[in-house]
Amino acid sequence: MQITPNRPASENPPLISFIITYYNLTPDLLNACLDSILALQLDKQEREIIVIDDGSDHSPLDSLGTKLDDITYIRQTNQGLSAARNLGIEACRGTFIQFVDGDDLLNTSIYEQCLNIVRQNDPDIVAFHLSDKVERDMTVECEGPMEGAEYMRHNNLRASACGYIFRKKTLVNLRFTSGILHEDEEFTPELFLRAEKVYSTNAKAYFYRDRGHSITHKDDKEWVKRRLEDTKGVLYRLAERTDTLPTADREALQRRIDQLTMDYLYNVITLTHNGRFLEQCVEELTQKGLFPLSDKDYTQKYKWFRRISSTRSGRRLLCMVLK
């Protein structure tokens, strides 16, 4: 492991650590990401920027110029996003953590308003939205505080760990599961179950680049198989967790499990177009107690998918309609 440190002289922890994961990106993307963070109204003592290079073919250091004075650069052998984020968690000193993918950036003026919520309310989590557009400004509205489980019982949880500023101490021993796709689907609900003070905002504070060659867009058979298997593994581990939780937390996690089960079946249909395989998946979910879907009206989409997917004829209809 190679580490290029930049630690401020003060022993007081920074307010927030930005953990940027980087792998084989063009230098201009990383520079834009860093610029959006450095533009925030944070003193150098208030922020920590850690770039975790997950074994890129070429280090980006030569392209960063004077920004090197503002970052800690850590290079590891290629182990994947989960391992890179876990390393960032271990290395960071901030009271709060913000994950940023190296090809994305913060909508600076809007993110500033989320930081103000952090400063004024001492939360465990501040939730905001991701956008595929660079947003210049908006009036941010905020709800809270509420417990994380309460939020989960009444809202569809957004999976991406980049959509939250969260207190490092809230993690306790929580880390990302290495070696899987869609690791956020497991991490984020576990994070919320640990949170006592959540503030939810309408802020479009994070810009993500919709790259057609990213992992969510691969469609070769082996990749699809791995994607579905990893999602199923997350579902099973979360389901096992419900047995250890008090009633209110169990209800909160069950809503998330139901959503993920619906998404899993939807992806089985749209990614494989194989009715026989769909029936095999339904049978396995039934044996695990995850199907039929819970008789809840979380959302209109969930309600109608639950009703149609509950019968074999309905599932055949979904296979014909969903492309």
Side-chain angles (χ1 to χ4, degrees):
M1 182 187 302
Q2 174 187 338
I3 302 178
T4 303
N6 176 56
R7 300 293 196 195
S10 171
E11 294 184 359
N12 294 326
L15 174 68
I16 183 167
S17 294
F18 298 94
I19 299 175
I20 302 173
T21 49
Y22 174 90
Y23 178 70
N24 281 352
L25 300 172
T26 57
D28 60 305
L29 294 179
L30 180 59
N31 272 287
C33 177
L34 291 170
D35 285 339
S36 73
I37 296 172
L38 293 171
L40 295 168
Q41 295 180 16
L42 287 166
D43 294 336
K44 197 166 186 177
Q45 291 73 26
E46 291 183 291
R47 59 166 161 74
E48 176 183 51
I49 304 174
I50 301 177
V51 177
I52 308 292
D53 183 344
D54 186 35
S56 296
D57 295 337
H58 303 285
S59 168
L61 288 180
D62 290 343
S63 70
L64 299 183
T66 59
K67 296 186 185 73
L68 288 174
D69 297 332
D70 294 291
I71 71 169
T72 296
Y73 173 80
I74 304 176
R75 180 177 173 86
Q76 66 174 18
T77 56
N78 180 246
Q79 300 174 56
L81 178 61
S82 291
R85 285 178 172 173
N86 288 340
L87 181 56
I89 291 170
E90 298 302 327
C92 75
R93 301 180 305 116
T95 303
F96 292 88
I97 290 175
Q98 173 68 60
F99 289 118
V100 189
D101 291 342
D103 53 345
D104 297 336
L105 51 84
L106 303 179
N107 289 320
T108 303
S109 63
I110 302 172
Y111 191 85
E112 288 276 7
Q113 298 179 65
C114 296
L115 283 176
N116 287 336
I117 296 171
V118 171
R119 294 186 179 102
Q120 296 166 10
N121 297 282
D122 197 35
D124 291 322
I125 297 176
V126 174
F128 50 84
H129 293 265
L130 280 60
S131 174
D132 59 358
K133 298 179 181 179
V134 176
E135 307 285 347
R136 299 302 179 188
D137 200 9
M138 66 179 293
T139 300
V140 173
E141 299 175 355
C142 175
E143 295 182 10
M146 67 193 85
E147 291 186 348
E150 179 186 359
Y151 179 87
M152 290 173 65
R153 285 196 299 272
H154 297 98
N155 296 275
N156 284 352
L157 191 65
R158 298 183 295 276
S160 176
C162 294
Y164 309 99
I165 304 171
F166 63 90
R167 185 183 299 276
K168 183 179 180 180
K169 286 184 178 179
T170 304
L171 292 174
V172 191
N173 62 346
L174 176 63
R175 298 295 184 269
F176 291 89
T177 300
S178 292
I180 67 170
L181 303 175
H182 307 297
E183 55 282 307
D184 291 11
E185 297 284 13
E186 185 173 8
F187 176 89
T188 303
E190 292 279 12
L191 174 65
F192 269 76
L193 288 176
R194 289 162 166 77
E196 297 180 358
K197 290 179 65 178
V198 174
Y199 288 83
S200 176
T201 77
N202 65 332
K204 296 180 180 179
Y206 185 105
F207 167 72
Y208 71 93
R209 300 181 194 276
D210 188 8
R211 296 189 297 142
H213 58 282
S214 68
I215 63 170
T216 57
H217 292 84
K218 289 188 176 182
D219 59 1
D220 61 88
K221 290 184 178 180
E222 286 303 312
W223 198 261
V224 167
K225 180 180 178 181
R226 181 186 169 191
R227 178 179 176 182
L228 293 175
E229 284 296 313
D230 285 353
T231 301
K232 187 169 62 177
V234 169
L235 272 173
Y236 292 170
R237 288 191 293 275
L238 290 178
E240 290 174 1
R241 272 281 280 144
T242 60
D243 296 333
T244 68
L245 298 173
T247 301
D249 288 3
R250 190 182 310 128
E251 292 175 356
L253 185 55
Q254 187 60 53
R255 173 168 179 155
R256 188 58 190 158
I257 291 170
D258 289 337
Q259 287 176 282
L260 285 176
T261 304
M262 179 185 72
D263 291 343
Y264 169 71
L265 290 174
Y266 179 89
N267 285 330
V268 168
I269 294 169
T270 58
L271 294 177
T272 71
H273 310 290
N274 187 326
R276 181 176 297 179
F277 178 64
L278 173 62
E279 292 306 315
Q280 292 174 357
C281 294
V282 167
E283 182 178 353
E284 186 173 344
L285 291 173
T286 302
Q287 292 173 356
K288 292 288 186 178
L290 295 171
F291 192 87
L293 294 169
S294 298
D295 187 8
K296 302 286 187 180
D297 293 340
Y298 298 131
T299 65
Q300 282 294 106
K301 177 181 178 181
Y302 176 87
K303 179 174 69 174
W304 286 110
F305 191 93
R306 173 178 59 78
R307 290 179 179 176
I308 297 172
S309 67
S310 63
T311 65
R312 185 182 291 265
S313 60
R315 294 192 290 274
R316 284 199 295 265
L317 176 63
L318 288 173
C319 287
M320 289 187 291
V321 171
L322 297 177
K323 303 294 182 181

